Amino acid sequence: MTDYSTIDFSDLEQASVDEVITHSIVRDVTLASGRTLALITLHNGRDHKRPNTLGPLTLRELSDTLDELAERAAKGEIDAVAVTGKPYIFAAGADLSQISSLSSRDLALKIAQRGHHVLGKLSELGVPSFSFVNGLALGGGVEIALNSTYRTIDSSAAAIALPEVFLGIIPGWGGAYLLPNLIGIENALEVVISNPLKQNRTLKPQQAYDLGIFDAIFSPANFLEASLSWADGVLDGSVAVERKNAPGKIERSIKWPAAIKIARGMLESSVGPMPRSPYRALDLLEQAVKGTKEEGFEREDEALADLVASDEFAASMYAFDLVQKRAKRPVGAPDKDLARPVTKVGVIGAGLMASQFALLFVRRLQVPVLITDVSQDRVDKGLTYIYDEIAKLEGKGRLDADTANQLRALVTGTTDKADFADCDFVIEAVFEETSVKQQVFREVEEFIADDAILATNTSSLSVEEIGSVLAHPERLVGFHFFNPVAVMPLVEVVRTPQASDAAVSTAFVVAKNLRKNAIASA
């Protein structure tokens, strides 16, 4: 097992650039019973607009604080330790600006190990530890609570979530091991994988409490006082803590592997094989049923290091940064009044990616969508996928029956590209090879109107070269979705030197109507 205490983290701290340090402010609280609780308040000195985050220097300060409290506990000076946050904020997790700037896998591994080293101390103080989650708690903030012995939650907290899979990584400071062993595998799958892939859905405090993540929930009017009183009751035995959703032997032996198998099948059908993070998270949840906590933490170390060093995480951070900083005013967008009206969409291809495009277009634009492929069997397979996904949305109550029927009626398939004649916007999702894309665009261009827009989803090929074979290269734009299509909020609009303002403007307006954030690229 890795002995985190022997690792030199100085190079990690030296790599920290302009970190806003979240300080660990300690005060002793005398409880009604006369016991002493050391209360750590996390506070970065900013208001609620700048949440507490956990970077390398923050972790060093928290580590030193916990070491001092462990020494005091050994001397009998304190009976418990608790962690809470500044007003409205517990902690928003790891400092993404620090993690995304790490220059090597070795440093990525060290940030994983450092998080485990520091947060793991909450269970090694020699006295019980509590987390009083008084506000927003995301990622590493939730993992502070999970590493504590007991947890309370403010009923008005803004959001509770482990959003790492949405960002292309995994919960790497204990979440992937501790959570399923606390609330069961099915609940953990919802929190760690399903919610992040549903546009980064978060939990309300009552939901988090009902799942069993927290042991008690209190009103914001007297949250800290109620939490302190409750903790005093836990310490003297007058308050019993029942972990209602903790997995038993039957779940671990039977339900656990069955739930993992179902979740893997759902991932394969919904996001395909490309995004690594949900599958790594799934592997960690599967393995959490066995072995020790230390082994679970080591698995998280390796997975987080691999993913932080990956292109997927870099792309996710690129998208996240653009969405956060530029969503309100897209950069490089021509006047929206130049955009062509889009009354019918054509999708070239009927594989998983193309089918996801078609589903997104029909749901958001609610216009006819036509898919095509080289054989009727492939077309039929694509249509079946789309219809099945619409049925799932209907079954979950996200679409009513009339809307579901309407959407199904709007999606059709063909093997004859002449049927694309009345499409205003045609996007391809075929094999990533320039000649293949050129060929399908040449075939379609024979039939569509001169002012119809063509879009390629390529992420690596030259859009200008693809368009060089067209009679009207000015109509072609890059329209690159980040995968998974339904989840990632960014679309990259690539403008060639030949592209018209009308084509680019149409692409931006379409992206907005798809509820995506578009950013221009040349």
Side-chain angles (χ1 to χ4, degrees):
M1 294 295 100
T2 301
D3 183 353
Y4 294 129
S5 65
T6 64
I7 299 174
D8 181 4
F9 294 106
S10 59
D11 53 347
L12 179 65
E13 293 167 3
Q14 290 168 4
S16 180
V17 180
D18 299 326
E19 178 184 342
V20 177
I21 299 175
T22 297
H23 297 289
S24 301
I25 304 166
V26 182
R27 67 182 175 96
D28 285 356
V29 177
T30 302
L31 302 175
S33 65
R35 293 180 178 84
T36 300
L37 178 145
L39 179 64
I40 303 171
T41 300
L42 302 175
H43 204 311
N44 62 5
R46 310 291 181 89
D47 63 19
H48 65 280
K49 296 178 183 177
R50 181 49 163 98
N52 295 328
T53 51
L54 309 173
L57 300 181
T58 294
L59 290 171
R60 181 179 68 184
E61 182 172 327
L62 179 57
S63 179
D64 292 343
T65 299
L66 293 173
D67 286 345
E68 293 170 5
L69 293 177
E71 291 178 7
R72 292 186 62 199
K75 295 175 182 177
E77 296 176 2
I78 57 175
D79 301 288
V81 172
V83 184
T84 192
K86 68 182 184 180
Y88 312 113
I89 304 289
F90 185 69
D95 187 332
L96 293 175
S97 65
Q98 300 298 317
I99 292 181
S100 61
S101 67
L102 296 177
S103 58
S104 68
R105 187 187 184 280
D106 287 343
L107 286 176
L109 178 61
K110 283 194 174 183
I111 194 64
Q113 293 171 329
R114 188 56 160 162
H116 280 131
H117 178 222
V118 178
L119 272 56
K121 293 181 180 184
L122 287 163
S123 63
E124 302 167 354
L125 295 170
V127 293
S129 59
F130 297 81
S131 279
F132 301 152
V133 178
N134 64 308
L136 178 78
L138 304 175
V142 174
E143 287 168 312
I144 288 176
L146 291 173
N147 278 277
S148 301
T149 317
Y150 305 101
R151 294 159 287 280
T152 68
I153 179 72
D154 185 322
S155 61
S156 68
I160 310 296
L162 290 172
E164 286 85 352
V165 165
F166 176 77
L167 299 171
I169 51 178
I170 50 94
W173 290 347
Y177 177 84
L178 296 172
L179 189 67
N181 284 296
L182 177 69
I183 66 173
I185 185 60
E186 292 179 330
N187 289 334
L189 285 166
E190 176 185 345
V191 176
V192 175
I193 297 178
S194 296
N195 283 350
L197 294 179
K198 293 175 180 175
Q199 294 293 338
N200 208 14
R201 182 180 296 177
T202 61
L203 298 171
K204 297 184 183 300
Q206 186 65 49
Q207 292 174 310
Y209 171 71
D210 291 340
L211 286 173
I213 300 175
F214 296 93
D215 301 309
I217 184 169
F218 298 116
S219 163
N222 61 343
F223 173 71
L224 182 57
E225 294 80 3
S227 293
L228 289 168
S229 177
W230 181 85
D232 201 13
V234 171
L235 293 172
D236 68 19
S238 62
V239 172
V241 177
E242 179 185 358
R243 301 282 163 77
K244 56 185 177 181
N245 292 332
K249 291 183 179 179
I250 293 179
E251 173 171 344
R252 292 178 183 277
S253 61
I254 299 175
K255 288 179 62 178
W256 203 292
I260 292 292
K261 182 178 180 180
I262 292 170
R264 195 176 299 278
M266 292 178 65
L267 276 180
E268 290 169 353
S269 65
S270 61
V271 302
M274 291 303 294
R276 296 171 61 193
S277 59
Y279 289 101
R280 289 302 291 269
L282 186 62
D283 290 342
L284 291 171
L285 292 175
E286 180 179 18
Q287 294 168 319
V289 74
K290 57 189 177 182
T292 65
K293 179 176 75 172
E294 290 73 22
E295 290 170 338
F297 283 8
E298 283 193 348
R299 290 191 293 263
E300 291 179 357
D301 289 338
E302 295 299 325
L304 186 61
D306 287 344
L307 291 169
V308 168
S310 70
D311 292 340
E312 179 183 338
F313 179 62
S316 295
M317 286 296 92
Y318 173 70
F320 182 79
D321 180 65
L322 290 174
V323 169
Q324 293 296 308
K325 295 181 178 179
R326 303 179 183 179
K328 295 182 179 179
R329 186 178 180 183
V331 177
D335 188 341
K336 64 181 181 181
D337 292 337
L338 298 174
R340 307 286 191 199
V342 174
T343 61
K344 184 175 181 179
V345 174
V347 178
I348 306 174
L352 180 60
M353 180 70 79
S355 300
Q356 290 177 336
F357 289 172
L359 178 63
L360 181 65
F361 277 100
V362 75
R363 282 193 67 197
R364 300 303 187 210
L365 305 187
Q366 296 195 7
V367 299
V369 175
L370 178 67
I371 66 173
T372 189
D373 214 307
V374 295
S375 71
Q376 190 62 47
D377 285 345
R378 292 178 64 87
V379 171
D380 290 343
K381 185 177 180 180
L383 290 174
T384 298
Y385 170 86
I386 296 165
Y387 296 157
D388 286 348
E389 290 300 305
I390 292 172
K392 290 178 185 177
L393 293 169
E394 183 182 4
K396 294 176 181 178
R398 297 176 64 184
L399 294 175
D400 59 40
D402 288 343
T403 302
N405 288 333
Q406 179 188 8
L407 295 183
R408 278 188 282 265
L410 287 172
V411 183
T412 55
T414 184
T415 57
D416 185 355
K417 294 185 175 63
D419 293 337
F420 279 66
D422 56 348
C423 290
D424 311 297
F425 188 93
V426 179
I427 184 168
E428 62 79 21
V430 298
F431 187 69
E432 192 73 352
E433 185 174 299
T434 299
S435 61
V436 175
K437 296 179 186 295
Q438 288 176 329
Q439 179 62 28
V440 296
F441 278 143
R442 267 196 301 248
E443 293 173 0
V444 167
E445 193 179 31
E446 293 182 23
F447 303 104
I448 59 175
D450 289 347
D451 59 354
I453 308 301
L454 295 176
T456 173
N457 185 55
T458 185
S459 60
S460 58
L461 303 178
S462 167
V463 178
E464 183 178 7
E465 184 179 356
I466 292 171
S468 64
V469 300
L470 296 176
H472 295 282
E474 72 278 1
R475 70 164 87 226
L476 179 66
V477 293
F479 201 76
H480 172 224
F481 286 92
F482 287 77
N483 199 33
V485 173
V487 175
M488 296 302 287
L490 188 72
V491 167
E492 186 179 28
V493 175
V494 182
R495 178 170 195 158
T496 69
Q498 295 78 26
S500 67
D501 284 345
V504 178
S505 179
T506 302
F508 271 89
V509 170
V510 168
K512 181 179 180 181
N513 291 338
L514 294 175
R515 302 181 192 175
K516 301 290 184 181
N517 295 306
I519 183 67
S521 177

